[in-house]
Amino acid sequence: AVDLHLRLAGPTLDAPFGHDALGRDVLARLGHGALHTFGTATAVGAAALLTGLAAGLLPRLSTGAIEVANTLPPVIAGLLVAAALGPSTAGAAIAVAATAWAPLAAHTAALVREEHGSGHVQASRMLGASPTRILRTHVLPGVLPLVTRHAVLRLPGIALAIASLGFVGLGAQPPTPEWGLLLAEAMPYVERAPWAALAPATALALLGAFAVTTATAIRTRRTRQNPATAT
């Protein structure tokens, strides 16, 4: 709650991270922001997973789009979406989703190629199984678990991208307690009240470290599984 009497007040037992420029408890807003940031990231991750699966199952039609999306930074996508729709949480989600599906699509396409080249699929094809049956009984069971795990591991990176757009003003708008926006709001007062910026900055730093760790884990696992398709 806004309490101007506590404006930029320092840390206390009741408010370990102090108060912001409007007297709001920084820790409470950080907690609410975690739900907002990761809730949005989960929705974006689910959309990216579905899009990536659909595109990966149709590699001939989606190869060009995958390459374009892989090279498009979320900030550029955020600028384009903000120009069309205005800065908002939904706009940030759309911008990140526009690029987040591409690695999942590439992974799906690689797994589909592996499945189609496997002995059991070739045997089913020789026995007269239809493409639909092969897809349902062989390809999807081999692809879905791995790509879903990949999507889950990408959630920290998606959350960080959403927070980054919020920090530069292309995402959530006040009074939404989104982590990137919390840090942006605290920056003008960083010399007078560094604690107001410390909490969101630390949270984003930890999130960034987690995102790098999971991205490294993804590359390592895919390299071990199939060096030829690792990206």
Side-chain angles (χ1 to χ4, degrees), residues 107-118:
H107 190 191
T108 300
L111 292 173
V112 168
R113 286 194 298 269
E114 290 181 14
E115 288 295 327
H116 279 297
S118 63

Side-chain angles (χ1 to χ4, degrees), residues 44 155 173 202:
V44 170
L155 283 179
Q173 300 298 298
T202 301

Side-chain angles (χ1 to χ4, degrees), residues 177-202:
E178 193 274 324
W179 282 4
L181 182 59
L182 290 181
L183 181 58
E185 290 177 338
M187 290 305 293
Y189 311 100
V190 68
E191 293 185 1
R192 179 180 173 186
W195 50 82
L198 181 61
T202 301

Side-chain angles (χ1 to χ4, degrees), residues 147-184:
V147 178
T148 300
R149 188 182 303 118
H150 184 176
V152 171
L153 289 174
R154 285 194 174 272
L155 283 179
I158 291 174
L160 184 62
I162 292 171
S164 299
L165 292 177
F167 178 75
V168 298
L170 298 176
Q173 300 298 298
T176 305
E178 193 274 324
W179 282 4
L181 182 59
L182 290 181
L183 181 58

Side-chain angles (χ1 to χ4, degrees), residues 39-69:
T40 305
T42 300
V44 170
L49 173 60
L50 294 176
T51 305
L53 284 170
L57 291 172
L58 300 170
R60 293 183 180 179
L61 300 178
S62 61
T63 298
I66 293 173
E67 293 177 354
V68 171

Side-chain angles (χ1 to χ4, degrees), residues 1-223:
V2 174
D3 186 350
L4 295 180
H5 294 291
L6 295 174
R7 184 174 186 269
L8 300 178
T12 64
L13 291 178
D14 293 333
F17 293 135
H19 297 78
D20 65 9
L22 294 178
R24 297 169 296 191
D25 187 336
V26 173
L27 179 59
R29 285 178 58 77
L30 190 69
H32 293 155
L35 294 176
H36 183 277
T37 300
F38 282 98
T40 305
T42 300
V44 170
L49 173 60
L50 294 176
T51 305
L53 284 170
L57 291 172
L58 300 170
R60 293 183 180 179
L61 300 178
S62 61
T63 298
I66 293 173
E67 293 177 354
V68 171
N70 260 329
T71 60
L72 183 65
V75 172
I76 301 300
L79 286 170
L80 296 175
V81 174
L85 304 177
S88 64
T89 299
I94 292 171
V96 176
T99 60
W101 65 272
L104 300 176
H107 190 191
T108 300
L111 292 173
V112 168
R113 286 194 298 269
E114 290 181 14
E115 288 295 327
H116 279 297
S118 63
H120 62 276
V121 170
Q122 293 181 3
S124 297
R125 190 178 292 116
M126 292 177 63
L127 292 173
S130 66
T132 302
R133 180 176 176 79
I134 291 174
L135 176 66
R136 186 177 66 253
T137 60
H138 297 293
V139 176
L140 287 180
V143 169
L144 277 176
L146 295 176
V147 178
T148 300
R149 188 182 303 118
H150 184 176
V152 171
L153 289 174
R154 285 194 174 272
L155 283 179
I158 291 174
L160 184 62
I162 292 171
S164 299
L165 292 177
F167 178 75
V168 298
L170 298 176
Q173 300 298 298
T176 305
E178 193 274 324
W179 282 4
L181 182 59
L182 290 181
L183 181 58
E185 290 177 338
M187 290 305 293
Y189 311 100
V190 68
E191 293 185 1
R192 179 180 173 186
W195 50 82
L198 181 61
T202 301
L204 288 171
L206 292 174
L207 181 60
F210 191 29
V212 170
T213 301
T214 53
T216 302
I218 291 171
R219 287 194 296 268
T220 301
R221 178 174 297 177
R222 292 185 64 187
T223 300

